[in-house]
Amino acid sequence: METDRPANVSFSDFVGGVQLLRGEDTRTAMPVILIGICVSGAVGNLLVLLVFLRDFRNGKGSEVKALLASVASTDLVILLLCAPVRAITFYKQTWTLGSFVCSTTDWFQHSCVVAKTLILAVTTRAKHTLVPSTAAGPLYSPAWIHAVLAFVWIVSMVFPIPQMLFASVVPHGSDALCVSQVSECASDFMSLFYKIYPTATFVVPVSFTMAYYTKSLHSAVNHAPSPQQQSKVTLVLLCLSGALGLMLLPEWGTFTWIRLGYNKPPVGLILFAQVLLYACSSLSPVILVTMYDDVRQGLISIWFIATCRGSKQLPSNKCPKTEGNGAEVGTNAVANAGSAEQEKTFPDVEHFWTGRRNTHVEEEQDPVPWEREEKML
C-alpha cells in the first residue's frame, strides 16, 4: 500500500480510504462490513429522527432532544455519504471517483466528525426539561439552538480545510490514486497544525464532556430533587460521549501519527480504525433506544400506529389511540382489557338473577305460612 513520494514532498498518505491493498479477502470483506454498518445505522438514525420530530410536533421537545436530533442527522450523513466512498475505494483498490470527490471526501468526513463531537459538548449547556410547543420563555430558545448549530458547523468546516487543499489525484501506472501530499515549504506549518487540530476538535471537547457528565451524574444521584429522571438523561449523554471518545480514538490516533511523520502503523490498525468510525455512528441510535425512555416509548407508539394502519381487517376500536408518547399506549391497552373483563357476564347467570330480581311471594302460595305468623307474633 506504499506510494512513490516525490523528492519535494515531506508527507504523503492516501485520501478516501486505503488503496493498493493486497489480498482478495480484504477487498471483499471491507465493503461488505461497511455496507452492513451503513444499512443498520441509517435505519436506526432515521427511527430516532422520526421519534424526535414526533415529540416536537406533539409539544414534548427539549433543547437536548434538538441537539440529539442534530447528532443523529450528522451520523446519517456520515453513513450515507462518507462510508460508501470508502467501500468503493476498498473494492476498486484505486481511485475512480474523480478529482472533486478526492479533494472533498476527507474534508467533508472530518467536518461531520468534528461537528458531532462539538454538538455533544454543547449538550452540557442545554436544558433537559420538556418544552411545551407554545413556550417562548426561558425554557426554550430556538434562536439559541439555531445559532449554536450554525457556529458549530462553521467551525467544523473551517478546521479541516487543509485536508482539502493538499488532496489530489496522481497517476499510478494505468490507474489513479487519491493522496494527500504536503510540500517541504509547508511542512513546518502543517506539523504544528496536526498537533493543534486533533487536540482542539477531539481531545478537549470529549474530555470536557465526559468530565462534566460524570460530575453531573454524581450530583444528580446524591443531591437532585428527582434523581431518577435526571440521572437517566445524564447517563445517556455520558454513554454517548464515552462511546464517541473510545471509538474515534483509533482513527484520530492513526491520523495524527501518520501526519506527524512517524512510521505508518499496520494496515490492519488503519482499517480497524476506519470501521470503528462508522460503527460509532451506528451505535448512537442503539444507545438512545436502549437507555433513553422517551425514544423507546416513541418507537413503541409509532409501532402501534403502523400496526393499526397496516391491519385493515381489524375494527377501529381495537387499535389503541396515542395522544402523546408511548406511555398512553400501554395504559390504554391495560385499561381497555380491564374494562372488558369487568363487563363480561355469563348469560345464564344474568337471566337467572333477572328473573329472581324484585320478586314478591303471594300469601296464598307461601309454602311455609307458619314462619311468617311466628315472625308477626
Side-chain angles (χ1 to χ4, degrees):
M1 53 166 280
E2 295 292 338
T3 180
D4 297 333
R5 187 174 67 182
N8 61 341
V9 172
S10 63
F11 159 79
S12 179
D13 188 34
F14 292 113
V15 174
V18 180
Q19 299 155 56
L20 300 180
L21 288 173
R22 299 183 180 91
E24 290 295 327
D25 294 339
T26 305
R27 176 184 176 182
T28 306
M30 287 300 297
V32 171
I33 293 173
L34 291 181
I35 291 173
I37 292 175
C38 290
V39 173
S40 59
V43 172
N45 284 289
L46 282 174
L47 290 176
V48 169
L49 281 175
L50 186 61
V51 170
F52 284 143
L53 291 175
R54 186 172 180 274
D55 285 346
F56 275 97
R57 182 180 178 182
N58 293 335
K60 297 181 179 295
S62 65
E63 293 178 353
V64 167
K65 288 184 179 181
L67 294 176
L68 289 178
S70 300
V71 171
S73 302
T74 306
D75 285 333
L76 192 62
V77 170
I78 292 174
L79 293 172
L80 295 182
L81 297 182
C82 300
V85 174
R86 268 65 181 177
I88 295 174
T89 303
F90 288 136
Y91 181 74
K92 295 291 187 180
Q93 299 187 4
T94 56
W95 190 256
T96 58
L97 299 177
S99 59
F100 176 77
V101 179
C102 175
S103 301
T104 57
T105 178
D106 267 20
W107 166 80
F108 184 72
Q109 178 170 288
H110 275 252
S111 298
C112 295
V113 172
V114 172
K116 178 181 177 180
T117 306
L118 295 181
I119 290 172
L120 282 176
V122 171
T123 58
T124 59
R125 312 308 304 168
K127 295 181 176 64
H128 302 174
T129 53
L130 294 180
V131 178
S133 58
T134 58
L139 285 179
Y140 183 57
S141 178
W144 177 82
I145 296 293
H146 297 161
V148 167
L149 290 177
F151 176 76
V152 164
W153 275 102
I154 291 174
V155 171
S156 303
M157 290 182 174
V158 169
F159 253 113
I161 284 181
Q163 298 293 106
M164 181 171 53
L165 296 179
F166 295 100
S168 60
V169 178
V170 297
H172 181 76
S174 59
D175 299 319
L177 301 177
C178 181
V179 297
S180 176
Q181 295 179 341
V182 178
S183 60
E184 290 288 348
C185 60
S187 60
D188 294 336
F189 171 77
M190 293 306 299
S191 177
L192 178 62
F193 171 79
Y194 286 130
K195 295 177 182 177
I196 298 175
Y197 173 52
T199 304
T201 58
F202 175 72
V203 177
V204 173
V206 170
S207 301
F208 168 74
T209 306
M210 294 186 63
Y212 178 87
Y213 283 122
T214 302
K215 182 179 178 181
S216 299
L217 183 62
H218 180 269
S219 302
V221 171
N222 294 281
H223 306 291
S226 57
Q228 186 175 4
Q229 179 64 25
Q230 187 173 351
S231 60
K232 283 184 178 180
V233 180
T234 305
L235 182 60
V236 171
L237 296 172
L238 177 61
C239 291
L240 285 175
S241 304
L244 175 75
L246 291 177
M247 299 185 76
L248 294 187
L249 182 60
E251 172 66 19
W252 280 108
T254 55
F255 172 84
T256 307
W257 185 268
I258 293 173
R259 278 154 181 79
L260 288 181
Y262 300 105
N263 294 329
K264 290 187 178 182
V267 180
L269 179 60
I270 298 176
L271 298 179
F272 178 70
Q274 294 186 5
V275 170
L276 280 184
L277 187 148
Y278 302 115
C280 179
S281 297
S282 298
L283 182 63
S284 297
V286 176
I287 294 175
L288 291 175
V289 171
T290 55
M291 301 185 64
Y292 201 178
D293 292 339
D294 291 349
V295 175
R296 184 169 59 253
Q297 293 172 357
L299 286 178
I300 294 174
S301 178
I302 292 173
W303 180 81
F304 269 105
I305 293 175
T307 303
C308 292
R309 290 180 178 178
S311 303
K312 297 181 180 179
Q313 298 178 355
L314 292 177
S316 59
N317 57 355
K318 289 188 178 180
C319 294
K321 297 180 180 179
T322 58
E323 298 175 356
N325 52 22
E328 285 89 355
V329 175
T331 304
N332 293 339
V334 173
N336 293 337
S339 61
E341 291 292 337
Q342 293 177 359
E343 294 175 359
K344 184 187 297 183
T345 56
F346 295 99
D348 296 339
V349 177
E350 183 179 5
H351 175 72
F352 172 78
W353 285 110
T354 303
R356 298 292 298 173
R357 191 179 297 119
N358 298 327
T359 57
H360 178 71
V361 180
E362 298 293 338
E363 294 183 0
E364 293 80 3
Q365 299 177 355
D366 192 353
V368 284
W370 55 87
E371 292 183 358
R372 180 169 52 85
E373 293 176 359
E374 289 178 358
K375 291 180 180 179
M376 292 177 62
L377 294 176

